[in-house]
Structures are given as structure tokens and as C-alpha cells.
Amino acid sequence: MRKERKSFYDEAMEAFHRAADLIRLNPRVRLELEEPDFEHIFYVTIELRDRLVPLGPEDEASYRDLPASSMQAADALEPLANGSFVLHRRALLDADITMRRGVIRIPGKGLFRFEKGGPRSFKAYRIQHNQARGPYKGGVRYHKEVSLDLFKALAADMTWKTAIAEVPFGGAKGGIRVDPLQHSKEELEHLTLRYMYKLKNLVGPYLDIPAPDVNTNGQIMAIMMRQYTDGERERHSMRGVVTGKDVRIGGSEGRVKATGQGVVYCIEEWARERQFPLASARVIIQGFGNVGSWAAEILAEKGCKIVAVNDAFGSVANEAGLDVPALVRWVYDNPENLRRTVLGFPGATAISREDFWAAPADIAIPAALGQQIDGRVAEVLKVRLVAEAANGPTTADGERVLASRKIDLIPDVICNAGGVTVSYYEWLQNQRLEHWSEAEVDARLERAIKANYGLIRDIARDTPQKTALHDSRSYCVGRKLDMRTASMVLALKRIAAHYELEGFSQ
């Protein structure tokens, strides 16, 4: 009989079950945490603009004599990362168009086929996993491959992460199945407004608090906040409905870099314990979005050499170390780089994905999507440490291989907890109508990350102790554990305390 393959969610919950067995978690509490409180699945609709889609090479000969069309409005065409253009309504003002069978020629750009827009439907999600410790909290992801199973795993991950960070939140996650590279800024704004319109009765500053995730940012959070607070008499008291906002509209100093900063604080603790000279470390980073780019910048400032970077479109390397500020400018300040990819960066050599993972280094930072370091990748890594900046980047097989090869691992639930920790600081500032300095935010974050990292380290080593920063005596279980299981022990003991002390509502 063929063995049924485990789902992404089942695999993600393996550490939960290991830790629950170890601490003899109350069976009813275990049932409360095994599945989400609520799974919201719905659809959002928007009107897409008309598009100009590149004509295939095989069809170009039929339009060789087609005259060029002229569009005078500077912003008539919005370029998309897939090579298409969104045709805005103002495009026809003072335009001189020649079209044959739906095809036009744009000077300097080539031949394009007109594609009619119209209403489109997109599948959307919001999974609310657990609120025993406080309001649901978790990111909003826009990606073409999201699913219910994925969001369940990510929402549960947020429940553990908020407990480990010791902030008064529970776990949630959500988003929309969409490829942002194929849509205009206006379309994504309309999609966001519609998403929050559908969610309005399910979220709030004391109910469920979204934040940025993959392919979303402070601008998306601003749009969500506007939709939620529009027309409300006390709208400024509702700023805490989302976190990760621009500082000019209630965001926190240090929030944009917080997840990458937290990754570095964890790496610093690992290096300090092992008396490893961090300033001489060689680092490879998978993913150069918000988290990966900030981790790269902060580590480079500390003297580390970022020798290779990979993203969805390719990999680049420089044996002497990449010029990180120049790479950031190439990705984020280059109007020609619509895909925001590291590929093509002139200060590096393009390499294959396989060569990226096999690059000799001291530290690997997966900062992209989940399930990237499987058993095969773990076999070729030439590093001493994997610091999980992404959510669930290492598979169960990958983790077993890393352990067998004595490669250390800092699990995601502590390594990337800087984001939700500073989100809590932002939420606090919103409730108090305060604004803290970046120095204050960084100092609070460093204390929190390093204290909770110390707790997890003590649980893993079974060395109960009380220090100036933490007290691990009530968390150790009498045996040594791997870091992921130790993290889960800390999370479950903190969550279980609420059920043990408060009981169950009837």
C-alpha cells in the first residue's frame, strides 16, 4: 500500500507534536492548537485595465509593414515585469493609433497585441489560528501559489512566534492568489481595497492585525488602513488595525528593517557563544526582498562578506564580497529592473541555483519562500549555520540532513521574530498616540530577541538558569533538544499557561 504524502501543514506541525509529547500538553489544549480557530476563504473581484501583450516572434512577419502608433501622454503605458503594458484610459488622448487585427507597433518597443480587460475574480484567504494570548496577528501575502494549506501552516507559525517573542498576540495569515508582476499599481490598490472591504468585520486593532508579507509592503498596509477607517468618527484611534505602515502615518521607526535586524541579532548570539569572528564571516542569502536585503546590509556593515545572493530569477556571486549598497540600488532604485531581481547586477557574476547553494561560506540565510532547503540542498551546503529568515524554509528531510552534518540551525520562529516584535511596538505606539525613536526601538528589539534566544538555547542544551535577561528554569524538560523543538517547547508552555489559568469558555 502506497504511503500517503504528508501535506505542507502536516509537516509544519511535526515540531508541535514533538514538543506537545515532551511537555505532556493537556489533550484539550492540544486539540485547540491542532487546527485553526477560523478558515476564511472568499473571492474578490476587480476590473482589469486593457493591456498590450508582446507579439510572439512567429507572428511578427505578418505585421512587418504595420506603421508605428504614437501616444503622447507620458504615463499612457505602465510597464509590467512580464513585458506587457497596461493601457491607461488617458493613453488615447492626442494619440495616433494604427491597429491591424488587434496589433499595434510601439516605437522602440515592438509589436503588441491588444488584450481586453474586464472583471476578474481572485481567491483570497484569512486564517485565524489562535487568540489565547491576544488578537490574531499575521501577514498578508500576494502570490500566485498560495493555498489554504500554506496559510494554515503560516498562521500556526505566527501563533508560536508571537508566544516566543512574548508579545500579546495570537497567530493569523492570509492573502490573495495573484501574481503581482502581472498587474498595475492601480489594480493592486483596487484588489487591496476589495480584500479589506470583505475582511472589515473580521479584523480590527483588538481582533486581527494584518502586516506586510511576501509581495506586500507599507503602501499596501496604508491602503488597507484607509479602507478600514474610512468614514469612522475616531479613525485615528484605529491606526493599529495594521502594522508595517510608513512612519509618516503611524508606523514605527525601525519596522521596515526589523525582521532582518532580528536575524542579525540571532546570528550575533550564535557567533558570541561559539567565539566565531562574525566580522570575517562569508554569507550566502537566498531572497533579496525586504528581509534578505536588510540582513545583507546590516551584516555587511559589521564586516561580513555577502558572497552570493539568489532570488526567483537567478543568482549572482562575487568571491571578494558583493557591494551590498550598490546591489540594493540595482534592485530597488533601477527603473529598468521591473522584476526587482539581482540578476544582471554588474558587480557580480551570474551563477546557477545549484552553484549558489554549494558556494563555500560560513552562514546561509534562506529569506525567500518555504521548503527551499530540502535533503538534496542540505547535502551540498558548505556552511556552519543556517539562519531561517523565511517562514518554514527547511523541510523535515533537510533538517535531518543538517543535523547529521552538524550544521547549526536557528529556526524561523525566533530568527525572523523581529518583524512581529516591532509590529507590537508599532501597535503600542498607535494605542498611546506616541512615536518612539529608532534607537529606542532597536534597543527594545535587541533585548527581546537575545533574551528569548537565550531561553531557547538553554532549553535545547538543558541548562536551566536565571540570568539578567532571562529565566529558563521552568522551561527545560530534563533532556537536550534540537533548536526547533526547544523553540516549540517555549511557545507551548507560554500558550498553555493561558488555558491552564483561564480555563475554557462554555
Side-chain angles (χ1 to χ4, degrees), residues 409-411 414 453 456-457 460 481-488:
L409 182 140
I410 304 176
I414 181 62
Y453 181 93
I456 294 167
R457 178 203 58 217
L481 306 171
D482 63 88
M483 286 287 281
R484 195 179 307 281
T485 305
S487 301
M488 190 62 69

Side-chain angles (χ1 to χ4, degrees), residues 284-487:
I284 62 173
I285 299 178
Q286 189 213 17
F288 207 68
N290 175 268
V291 180
S293 61
W294 272 110
E297 285 197 80
I298 298 167
L299 286 171
E301 288 172 0
K302 293 181 179 294
C304 299
K305 288 184 179 179
I306 314 302
V307 295
V309 176
N310 164 270
D311 65 22
F313 302 101
S315 308
V316 296
N318 187 324
E319 183 69 17
L322 293 158
D323 182 340
V324 175
L327 181 59
V328 170
R329 290 193 297 272
W330 169 264
V331 173
Y332 292 102
D333 299 328
N334 180 1
E336 302 299 319
N337 189 359
L338 294 173
R339 297 186 300 179
R340 291 189 170 182
T341 175
V342 299
L343 197 62
F345 176 57
T349 302
I351 60 173
S352 68
R353 179 181 172 89
E354 290 72 23
D355 288 341
F356 164 79
W357 285 119
D362 301 298
I363 301 168
I365 302 178
L369 299 176
Q371 305 241 302
Q372 300 298 299
I373 300 179
D374 55 17
R376 182 184 59 81
V377 169
E379 286 285 3
V380 302
L381 280 171
K382 297 181 177 68
V383 298
R384 299 178 58 173
L385 170 69
V386 172
E388 292 187 331
N391 293 314
T394 310
T395 67
D397 285 343
E399 193 162 344
R400 283 188 281 270
V401 173
L402 293 179
S404 70
R405 297 186 60 208
K406 302 293 190 281
I407 296 175
D408 292 339
L409 182 140
I410 304 176
D412 55 353
V413 285
I414 181 62
C415 194
N416 68 24
V420 73
T421 305
V422 178
S423 278
Y424 169 59
Y425 301 158
E426 179 179 334
W427 182 81
L428 271 182
Q429 292 168 76
N430 291 163
Q431 305 311 312
R432 300 172 181 177
L433 296 179
E434 293 180 355
H435 186 81
W436 303 349
S437 69
E438 184 175 351
E440 182 177 358
V441 170
D442 285 352
R444 286 173 177 260
L445 176 62
E446 182 173 10
R447 283 196 304 272
I449 291 289
K450 291 186 175 181
N452 288 306
Y453 181 93
L455 281 169
I456 294 167
R457 178 203 58 217
D458 286 356
I459 297 167
R461 295 177 179 176
D462 193 32
T463 54
Q465 61 177 321
K466 183 177 182 180
T467 73
L469 280 179
H470 71 270
D471 185 350
S472 60
R473 291 174 298 179
S474 63
Y475 295 108
C476 294
V477 296
R479 52 174 284 194
K480 293 182 179 180
L481 306 171
D482 63 88
M483 286 287 281
R484 195 179 307 281
T485 305
S487 301

Side-chain angles (χ1 to χ4, degrees), residues 192-203:
T192 302
L193 290 169
R194 195 65 183 162
Y195 180 68
M196 181 53 101
Y197 174 81
K198 290 284 188 83
L199 279 180
K200 185 165 184 178
N201 292 329
L202 303 173
V203 301

Side-chain angles (χ1 to χ4, degrees), residues 71-78 85-92:
M71 297 182 188
Q72 302 300 322
D75 55 352
L77 300 176
E78 180 179 344
F85 289 88
V86 171
L87 190 66
H88 290 292
R89 289 167 180 166
R90 54 189 172 275
L92 299 181

Side-chain angles (χ1 to χ4, degrees), residues 110-188:
L111 293 163
F112 293 83
R113 186 179 301 281
F114 180 86
E115 186 178 273
K116 180 67 176 162
R120 296 289 190 279
S121 178
F122 298 85
K123 197 168 188 177
Y125 305 82
R126 188 66 180 175
I127 309 304
Q128 297 168 324
H129 181 262
N130 186 268
Q131 61 171 351
R133 302 185 71 258
Y136 300 112
K137 184 81 184 76
V140 173
R141 178 175 297 195
Y142 291 177
H143 197 273
K144 61 185 177 181
E145 294 178 359
V146 299
S147 65
L148 173 62
D149 205 47
L150 172 65
F151 282 135
K152 283 177 62 176
L154 295 175
D157 206 48
M158 283 300 299
T159 297
W160 324 138
K161 194 180 302 179
T162 52
I164 288 165
E166 206 167 16
V167 296
F169 294 139
K173 210 78 169 188
I176 304 173
R177 186 182 294 168
V178 60
D179 184 355
L181 297 180
Q182 297 187 24
H183 296 277
S184 69
K185 182 179 179 181
E186 179 188 61
E187 289 167 346
L188 292 175

